[in-house]
Amino acid sequence: MKLEGISLRQLRCLRAVADSGSLTGAASLLGLTVPAIHSQLRGLEDLAGCALMVRADHGAFRPTAEGVALLLAESQIATALARAGREIGALQQGHVGNVVLGVVSTGKYFAPGLVARLLRLLPQIEVTLRIGNRDAVLAALAGDDLDLAIMGRPPREPAVIADPIGPHPHIIIAAPDHPLAKADPVMPGDLLAQTFLSREEGSGTRILMTRFLDRIGEGATWRAVEMGTNETIKQAVIAGLGIALISQHTVTEELRSGRLIALRGIGLPIQRSWYLLRRADRQMSPATARIRDETLAMRGAFLPQL
């Protein structure tokens, strides 16, 4: 049997003859001529190397044992194609799919909650969460490893479309017993005299801290000690090793419990926004578009609140 030569058209003709019992009936079902049905059936039998239909005593066509085997295969193929059609339709409408979301490290305090909300809203779309510093997220976005990204400041490269998704305030934190804790406001000179605990190079928070201190210091020097994670910075500030400029969303619980306080100063908090990014030169998949739309519709409701 030459399986590679069998066509769906031939199998449909076989099914129509079996269902109707005649070539005329099959032609009516498929909108073809009787000769066309006969030609398709004959070609299929040639490939099978045997008869697939025989006339019964009453004159109607009935399948042979070999014909029954092919009809079973036709039924399974039809079922599989129908399922594929439904899946393709769902993919095209964004009901199913996989979306990779990159989030800068500062966003790890709300990103799991955002993904959980999205999965409840769109359970058939798989959202893969990847967290890294700003440089790592941008490299992944540039390398087509991400469909969407969340960060605080849109980059120049790669070219992106950035939609604001909610406020992103930055504050300077200190231990409750720090000498500047009760100052209102803290003066720039007093801030510059402190040791700042800072994230690594490539961190968006580090970039913001540098710009803020350079601005208020007007060229004056300041001291910073680099630490690898926000958690390390928080614990170091609580221990009295220094102060830190940090996203308010990373210290919500510590501020509520009183383990940390936010210093009051001119220009504080620094008001920024979170942005949802996608490549400007890439077409979104339907699933990515749905995740984007649902995230924007939340209007920052997933962000930590004091």
Side-chain angles (χ1 to χ4, degrees), residues 153-218:
R153 181 172 57 87
R156 294 180 180 177
E157 293 292 337
V160 299
I161 295 174
D163 295 298
I165 56 175
H168 186 198
H170 285 72
I171 59 177
I172 295 179
I173 55 172
D177 59 353
H178 192 278
L180 299 181
K182 298 185 183 302
D184 188 10
V186 177
M187 302 307 295
D190 294 330
L191 281 178
L192 293 168
Q194 305 300 311
T195 297
F196 276 81
L197 308 179
S198 166
R199 288 290 304 276
E200 74 283 359
E201 291 284 351
S203 161
T205 306
R206 168 77 168 260
I207 294 170
L208 185 62
M209 180 197 76
T210 300
R211 290 179 175 177
F212 175 75
L213 294 179
D214 284 346
R215 178 170 56 83
I216 67 170
E218 297 180 343

Side-chain angles (χ1 to χ4, degrees), residues 282-299:
R282 296 291 187 272
Q283 181 70 34
M284 286 189 296
S285 71
T288 299
R290 292 206 72 193
I291 291 296
R292 171 186 172 275
D293 292 346
E294 291 294 348
T295 302
L296 295 180
M298 292 179 195
R299 299 181 181 276

Side-chain angles (χ1 to χ4, degrees), residues 108-169:
K108 71 180 181 181
Y109 298 91
F110 64 79
L114 168 60
V115 172
R117 284 177 177 238
L118 291 170
L119 293 179
R120 286 194 295 270
L121 289 168
L122 305 169
Q124 300 305 313
I125 298 179
E126 181 181 351
V127 180
T128 301
L129 179 62
R130 294 184 184 175
I131 294 178
N133 70 16
R134 177 183 173 85
D135 283 350
V137 171
L138 287 177
L141 190 63
D144 270 347
D145 294 327
L146 302 177
D147 298 301
L148 297 168
I150 293 177
M151 63 178 55
R153 181 172 57 87
R156 294 180 180 177
E157 293 292 337
V160 299
I161 295 174
D163 295 298
I165 56 175
H168 186 198

Side-chain angles (χ1 to χ4, degrees), residues 32-55:
L32 299 173
T33 64
V34 170
I37 295 292
H38 183 268
S39 175
Q40 292 294 325
L41 187 57
R42 178 60 60 86
L44 185 57
E45 289 182 329
D46 288 344
L47 290 169
C50 59
L52 300 175
M53 286 285 173
V54 296
R55 284 188 181 275

Side-chain angles (χ1 to χ4, degrees), residues 74-91:
E74 185 276 338
S75 178
Q76 293 171 338
I77 291 170
T79 299
L81 287 175
R83 182 172 61 251
R86 292 192 298 271
E87 290 176 356
I88 290 171
L91 285 166

